[in-house]
């Protein structure tokens, strides 16, 4: 028994909502995967802010027709497709899929779309080199932490250098006076 028109409209609405929140969509050929394997992939992607949707290509086509950013995906809508919709951790989600793909050897990347641009498999793999959200937070925190440290070191250096300079003034003055006195003695003699 097929889906009712109302049910199909709901699926399209859900797809649109998820696409609007996604940063990246990867289209994979899932032929040969069991329900248990797809469930395992979903379980691996969910903690990383990604989901795996298996839906008819025609329903995905309807969902993307009003979303200009995702329209390039239409070139991949042939055959048995699953859609990995990544919201948060791009490198983490791609690595999780790659590990799944290596383990099962049953899926293939057809392509992806990010910010309205079509991505091939190599470009998708290149995204794994981006730092994760946690790594970016750590880099920002380290940079913020370094500012007060450098400021404190610089602030402490100013009085030290000033004190050294003040201590040098009398000795340099004494040497200058001695040199003048020596010069006067030489001229007198």
């Amino acid at each position: 028994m097929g889906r009712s028109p109302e049910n199909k409209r709901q699926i399209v609405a859900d797809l649109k909502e998820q696409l609007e929140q996604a940063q990246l969509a990867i289209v994979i050929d899932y032929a040969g995967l069991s329900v248990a394997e797809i469930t395992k992939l979903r379980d691996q992607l969910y903690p990383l802010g990604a989901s795996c949707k298996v839906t008819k290509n025609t329903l995905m086509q309807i969902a993307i027709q009003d979303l200009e950013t995702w329209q390039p995906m239409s070139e991949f809508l042939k055959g048995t497709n699953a859609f990995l919709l990544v919201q948060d951790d791009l490198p983490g989600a791609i690595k999780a899929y790659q590990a799944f793909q290596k383990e099962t050897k049953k899926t293939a990347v057809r392509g992806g779309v990010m910010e309205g641009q079509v991505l091939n498999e190599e470009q998708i793999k290149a995204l794994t080199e981006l730092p994760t959200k946690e790594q970016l937070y750590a880099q920002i925190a380290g940079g913020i932490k370094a500012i007060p440290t450098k400021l404190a070191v610089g602030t402490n250096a100013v009085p030290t250098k000033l004190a050294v300079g003040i201590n040098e003034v009398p000795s340099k003055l004494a040497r200058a006076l001695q040199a003048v006195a020596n010069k006067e003695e030489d001229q007198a003699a």
Side-chain angles (χ1 to χ4, degrees):
M1 184 169 150
R3 297 186 184 272
S4 70
E6 181 56 39
N7 184 263
K8 289 179 183 178
R9 280 191 284 277
Q10 183 60 44
I11 291 170
V12 169
D14 289 344
L15 287 171
K16 280 184 180 182
E17 182 180 329
Q18 288 186 359
L19 284 167
E20 287 171 352
Q21 295 173 3
Q23 295 179 22
L24 169 69
I26 302 172
V27 182
I28 63 169
D29 180 354
Y30 75 97
L33 286 181
S34 67
V35 173
E37 289 170 325
I38 292 173
T39 302
K40 182 179 178 181
L41 176 59
R42 287 177 173 151
D43 291 344
Q44 291 173 352
L45 293 173
Y46 183 76
L48 301 169
S51 62
C52 176
K53 291 290 181 191
V54 177
T55 188
K56 288 184 167 262
N57 291 331
T58 52
L59 296 179
M60 182 57 84
Q61 183 65 48
I62 293 168
I64 65 173
Q65 72 186 5
D66 295 333
L67 304 172
E68 188 175 325
T69 305
W70 300 108
Q71 288 176 357
M73 192 185 327
S74 62
E75 72 180 73
F76 305 120
L77 300 181
K78 300 173 188 83
T80 53
N81 290 325
F83 305 91
L84 308 182
L85 305 177
V86 186
Q87 295 174 5
D88 291 328
D89 185 1
L90 297 180
I94 295 168
K95 286 175 185 175
Y97 167 70
Q98 288 173 336
F100 175 82
Q101 184 181 31
K102 189 175 182 179
E103 179 185 323
T104 62
K105 296 176 177 50
K106 294 181 183 176
T107 65
V109 173
R110 292 187 192 265
V113 176
M114 182 176 179
E115 296 178 359
Q117 299 296 315
V118 173
L119 303 175
N120 62 30
E121 189 170 2
E122 291 304 312
Q123 292 167 320
I124 292 169
K125 284 181 182 177
L127 292 174
T128 61
E129 296 171 12
L130 295 174
T132 65
K133 189 190 302 185
E134 289 77 21
Q135 289 171 329
L136 287 174
Y137 287 153
Q139 289 173 356
I140 291 169
I144 290 171
K145 183 180 176 188
I147 292 171
T149 304
K150 288 179 181 178
L151 184 61
V153 168
T155 304
N156 287 339
V158 170
T160 303
K161 289 182 179 181
L162 183 60
V164 168
I166 290 172
N167 285 337
E168 284 293 314
V169 169
S171 64
K172 285 185 179 182
L173 183 58
R175 285 193 298 258
L177 290 175
Q178 184 64 42
V180 170
N182 290 342
K183 189 174 185 180
E184 288 177 358
E185 283 179 14
D186 288 344
Q187 288 177 354

